Amino acid sequence: PDVVSYSAVINAYAKAAEFDKDCATKAMDILKYMVKMYEGGDKDVKPNKRTYTSVINAFARTGEAEAADNLLTQMKEYYALGDTSLKPDTVCYSSVIDGYAKVGGEEAGFRAEELLHEMENLYNQGDSDVKPNTRTYRSAITALGKSRQPRAAEKAEQILEEMEYMGSFGAHDLAPNTICYNAVIDAYARGRSMEKAYRAELLLEKMLEESAKGNTLIRPDTITFNSVINAAARSFGDSIVRREAYLIGLGAFKKIHEYEYCKPSSITYVLFLNVLK
């Protein structure tokens, strides 16, 4: 067997890891075996970028972000020592960030943000292999939203605005889509801001306004409206804040019934009941 054979098996385990967490461990065991064989003199089984990326994907899918991050670090170390075949690319970084998005927690948010900035710095220095893409930014936004760290939602919205800025200047592949907006709205719903419902409503109104102009890329869907209603349900503060949140939640609940392209789900009604409490 050579590197192609082993990598194919690892890739199969990586795809199955989403359903069976043990598959990520099995993929890692094969990688370790390949490294051992290569160091023992078998040049035909030298792990390549695809091999490492597959194992990173496996760990990311199971939410074992630190294990994925460690492999990314190994790749960076090998590259620094002169092994250009293991130079990390956008897929490697994005998979690790996605892993942190699945984990959640304050440290995961910090690390996802750190990796994104590392990619941006490398890209700005001329390394086009690590140019962040929509998946990268979306995963970083999600990781921040789940982190519960102070001003996480504001940071997530800042990333969204950065994507909008780049998209407006020709980088259309980086223009945010509905999923990115939903992730920011969800970040506000999960966050600590007393203005969470108001900020969520502003984003929804922007999506409705832009989609009415023909920008279907950010047309609201059921998840969008549910997230705004959830932000209203989770609002806290004095009676004025809670009253405003109630009206925002009520408004979103009414609006979702007005559009043919999205319909309320059972979750919509459950969340709205929480607004009424």
Side-chain angles (χ1 to χ4, degrees):
D2 58 11
V3 61
V4 176
S5 305
Y6 281 110
S7 296
V9 175
I10 287 176
N11 190 47
Y13 275 125
K15 290 179 178 179
E18 187 173 354
F19 310 101
D20 184 353
K21 191 173 183 178
D22 290 339
C23 287
T25 302
K26 292 175 181 177
M28 186 64 189
D29 288 342
I30 295 175
L31 174 59
K32 288 179 179 178
Y33 178 75
M34 292 174 71
V35 172
K36 182 179 179 180
M37 293 289 287
Y38 171 68
E39 291 176 346
D42 189 347
K43 306 302 180 184
D44 292 335
V45 297
K46 179 184 182 295
N48 56 28
K49 186 185 296 186
R50 182 193 175 198
T51 317
Y52 275 88
T53 303
S54 293
V55 182
I56 287 173
N57 283 334
F59 281 126
R61 284 171 178 151
T62 60
E64 297 173 90
E66 288 189 12
D69 203 349
N70 289 337
L71 285 174
L72 176 64
T73 299
Q74 284 183 29
M75 293 180 73
K76 289 189 281 189
E77 290 173 349
Y78 284 131
Y79 175 65
L81 292 172
D83 190 345
T84 56
S85 69
L86 291 179
K87 181 179 181 293
D89 59 14
T90 300
V91 175
C92 300
Y93 275 92
S94 298
S95 293
V96 175
I97 294 174
D98 190 48
Y100 280 117
K102 285 183 172 65
V103 172
E106 191 165 340
E107 289 302 318
F110 279 125
R111 183 56 180 156
E113 188 179 18
E114 186 177 46
L115 286 170
L116 173 60
H117 290 327
E118 183 179 318
M119 292 176 74
E120 290 176 327
N121 290 335
L122 288 170
Y123 176 68
N124 291 333
Q125 292 168 16
D127 189 350
S128 59
D129 290 336
V130 293
K131 177 185 177 182
N133 57 26
T134 304
R135 178 196 174 199
T136 316
Y137 286 109
R138 184 189 71 228
S139 296
I141 288 170
T142 301
L144 281 168
K146 290 182 177 180
S147 72
R148 302 292 181 89
Q149 61 177 263
R151 297 188 62 77
E154 287 81 0
K155 289 181 180 180
E157 187 169 6
Q158 188 175 3
I159 293 174
L160 182 72
E161 291 172 351
E162 184 181 342
M163 295 177 73
E164 291 174 331
Y165 177 81
M166 291 185 290
S168 67
F169 279 88
H172 301 300
D173 59 319
L174 294 179
N177 55 24
T178 299
I179 297 174
C180 296
Y181 270 86
N182 288 351
V184 177
I185 294 173
D186 182 62
Y188 275 113
R190 294 170 180 267
R192 306 173 183 176
S193 172
M194 291 179 65
E195 295 184 331
K196 61 171 66 184
Y198 170 68
R199 302 296 299 185
E201 183 187 38
L202 286 180
L203 289 167
L204 171 61
E205 292 297 333
K206 184 174 184 179
M207 295 173 76
L208 289 170
E209 181 181 334
E210 290 297 316
S211 60
K213 294 177 183 177
N215 184 6
T216 57
L217 190 66
I218 60 171
R219 188 169 68 179
D221 58 15
T222 301
I223 294 174
T224 313
F225 286 98
N226 285 352
S227 296
V228 174
I229 295 170
N230 190 33
R234 291 188 173 198
S235 290
F236 60 93
D238 58 30
S239 58
I240 297 175
V241 172
R242 293 197 301 274
R243 173 65 178 171
E244 182 183 23
Y246 164 75
L247 293 175
I248 290 170
L250 177 62
F253 182 73
K254 287 182 177 180
K255 283 178 183 176
I256 195 175
H257 291 82
E258 297 173 3
Y259 299 98
E260 294 182 359
Y261 55 77
C262 67
K263 299 295 181 182
S265 64
S266 58
I267 295 174
T268 310
Y269 291 95
V270 171
L271 291 172
F272 185 62
L273 285 174
N274 289 333
V275 173
L276 298 175
K277 289 181 179 180

